[in-house]
Amino acid sequence: MPTVTSSWSSRFPPPPTCPRAGPASAHEGRRAGCLRVSRPAAHTPLRDQAALPALPVRARSQWARDPPSPEPRARSSAGAWSQRSRRRVPGPTMESSAAGCVVIVGSGVIGRSWAMLFASGGFQVKLYDIEQQQIRNALESIRKEMKLLEQAGSLKGSLSVEEQLSLISGCTNIQEAVEGAMHIQECVPEDLELKKKIFAQLDSIIDDQVILSSSTSCLMPSKLFAGLVHVKQCIVAHPVNPPYYIPLVELVPHPETAPTTVDRTHALMKKIGQCPMRVQKEVAGFVLNRLQYAIISEAWRLVEEGIVSPSDLDLVMSEGLGMRYAFIGPLETMHLNAEGMLSYCDRYSEGMKHVLKTFGPIPEFSRATAEKVNQDMCMKVPGDPEHLAARRQWRDECLMRLAKLKSQVQPQ
């Protein structure tokens, strides 16, 4: 899924190279185009948010910026179930706060989800952003969502909600944020130049141990991390939206990323209850979006050519392929639909090639077809913010239930 975007890039032009000595204030820094904030650190512990006035939660981060310097520390954990509200929820087991600190750069939807996941694993989390109000909004949103998860018996990890909330704090000073960090997860808008400036900033203040990780959904690591001194410590860890409910994380290395960086990131994702997979070498769209775009492409053609209605097309996935793929992938499906993979290829490869040859070119996603699809979608879910938000909430609740079911039926 595409990474959540923000208005930061449009409100502030891409900044020029910033000197090590930062501006005197955040306002001056933004005006000068610098990423560094050199004013005294401003931390907002999540445990104190009850004293803050309620603020509207924005669905989009206004910004995105810099992060950490670390010392990795060992911790024990394993994916497990924890008892909460008479239910059991999949998540890592942690007896106490994990050693080491994780820094989240950018407090939008993806950044908040990462903060919740790392806190569920017992990690101290610093949520970094350039605007104090945005951090307040994010922390309040996290508090509300985690309380709801606890009430539903779906809070991950072995720590209580208050213990997890106490691990998350906000910070507007990048140098203070990165101190003691062992992993930095960047979650800023999907803008290559913006991300490159952030990683260049981080590259200048971290040591040789901290991992620099990006949540990008499509930017190539070779472009994103080009020219960095600590390129061996850089990796893409692309989550699936919404990350708290969908565990997959794509790990995509730069050509010069050290194998230990991939291994450490893989282990970290496992510790917080996610399901990491390794992309052996970079490719446009990584793996998830390449598969997703292939499905969207053929779905669009079938609708555009009048072969099927938009609503019936979605049924093919939600009531057909999707039910199967929620538990096994397309390759295992082939393996099971015959007497093994070789048998399947012997039986069906010619038929598959015949059908594949009838596929058309990449669709143009014309306005006319888009309006047709939109009309059909709005009959099911009106396109106003209230109905869309309600449908997303329903989707997330379904994903929570599916996660519980999958954890109960996984083969030994």
Side-chain angles (χ1 to χ4, degrees), residues 340-357:
M341 178 62 72
L342 297 179
S343 172
Y344 187 94
C345 291
D346 289 341
R347 293 185 193 181
Y348 303 116
S349 60
E350 290 303 317
M352 285 192 293
K353 288 191 289 184
H354 174 74
V355 173
L356 289 168
K357 289 177 182 178

Side-chain angles (χ1 to χ4, degrees), residues 128-145:
Y128 172 78
D129 211 308
I130 57 173
E131 295 189 4
Q132 183 65 43
Q133 182 175 334
Q134 173 65 13
I135 291 175
R136 283 173 171 257
N137 289 348
L139 296 179
E140 184 63 21
S141 173
I142 289 171
R143 172 175 287 278
K144 290 178 179 178
E145 186 164 357

Side-chain angles (χ1 to χ4, degrees), residues 39-59:
R39 63 183 177 185
H43 286 278
T44 307
L46 189 52
R47 64 173 73 89
D48 296 329
Q49 285 302 298
L52 296 175
L55 294 170
V57 178
R58 286 174 285 181

Side-chain angles (χ1 to χ4, degrees), residues 26-47:
H27 174 71
E28 290 174 5
R30 287 192 296 272
R31 186 171 56 193
C34 293
L35 293 176
R36 188 183 304 282
V37 180
S38 60
R39 63 183 177 185
H43 286 278
T44 307
L46 189 52
R47 64 173 73 89

